Amino acid sequence: TQLLEQSPQFLSIQEGENLTVYCNSSSVFSSLQWYRQEPGEGPVLLVTVVTGGEVKKLKRLTFQFGDARKDSSLHITAAQPGDTGLYLCAGARSGAGSYQLTFGKGTKLSVIP
Amino acid sequence: DAGITQSPRHKVTETGTPVTLRCHQTENHRYMYWYRQDPGHGLRLIHYSYGVKDTDKGEVSDGYSVSRSKTEDFLLTLESATSSQTSVYFCATEEGLGRNTEAFFGQGTRLTVV
């Protein structure tokens, strides 16, 4: 069972366009994270959202955590070729006094100059 | 950056041979994970560890075993490599102490089974 569903799986857009990537679950998470992975590298954390309804901005990237803490979105404004990569969401759940992450399968973004 | 080192970075092996991949961390993180990444499948969890000698299976554990005898080292063994195990393998660590817990990834090991 896939706890975190990301959509779309693939996205190819022209430079300057806007896009939104979604991460959905039926489970409640204590926090939700977005990572970006570039070719030949491991994923790197972009942002963590903790509170339901929270919105965080990182330059042209806007991250939102759903009110019920089950879903999240990543919006990129005026995409640039440097945004190309694999975007992964990960949800943290607590158990036995610690927190553990579960990853979605990712959205592969290609921004064409 | 968390100090996570995977070795080897690249390996070609023959079908039927055992292979061991090593992940070494310098951050004293509690959790360690092994993932494989394949086109169309994203990151799939193979095994994880929540402490020394404490491990559990992930969604694609068949054909793989792990060991963690020290906090800093997490080994992944392919008992008898098959072509379907050709993949890029990532190790990750996580301190797991709070809601802002973060996963740190190694640079990956590209394994080819011929």
Side-chain angles (χ1 to χ4, degrees), chain A residues 32-104:
Chain A
L32 202 136
Q33 304 177 349
W34 287 92
Y35 292 75
R36 181 167 69 200
Q37 183 182 17
E38 298 186 12
E41 301 290 333
V44 176
L45 180 68
L46 292 174
V47 77
T48 300
V49 284
V50 176
T51 306
E54 181 177 2
V55 177
K56 278 192 176 179
K57 292 191 174 183
L58 187 66
K59 296 183 180 178
R60 294 176 293 100
L61 279 60
T62 302
F63 304 86
Q64 185 164 8
F65 201 10
D67 291 341
R69 305 207 320 274
K70 293 182 179 181
D71 53 83
S72 180
S73 63
L74 159 60
H75 182 79
I76 301 179
T77 303
Q80 299 179 359
D83 296 326
T84 293
L86 179 68
Y87 290 82
L88 295 156
C89 66
R93 292 187 299 169
S94 64
S98 65
Y99 290 81
Q100 193 173 0
L101 291 171
T102 301
F103 280 84

Side-chain angles (χ1 to χ4, degrees), chain B residues 9-37:
Chain B
R9 292 292 314 280
H10 302 270
K11 186 170 181 67
V12 180
T13 192
E14 293 185 348
T15 299
T17 61
V19 177
T20 296
L21 308 183
R22 181 177 182 248
C23 178
H24 179 79
Q25 62 144 329
T26 60
E27 299 298 314
N28 200 36
H29 286 170
R30 175 181 178 180
Y31 288 95
M32 296 187 76
Y33 304 85
W34 276 107
Y35 293 91
R36 59 177 291 175
Q37 189 172 43

Side-chain angles (χ1 to χ4, degrees), chain A residues 11-16 19 79-85 109-113:
Chain A
L11 189 56
S12 181
I13 62 170
Q14 294 289 327
E15 181 176 359
L19 67 112
Q80 299 179 359
D83 296 326
T84 293
L109 171 65
S110 297
V111 182
I112 303 165

Side-chain angles (χ1 to χ4, degrees), chain B residues 4 6 23 32-35 74 89-93 104-106:
Chain B
I4 302 170
Q6 289 186 233
C23 178
M32 296 187 76
Y33 304 85
W34 276 107
Y35 293 91
F74 193 33
Y89 291 85
F90 285 98
C91 171
T93 72
F104 297 89
F105 286 82

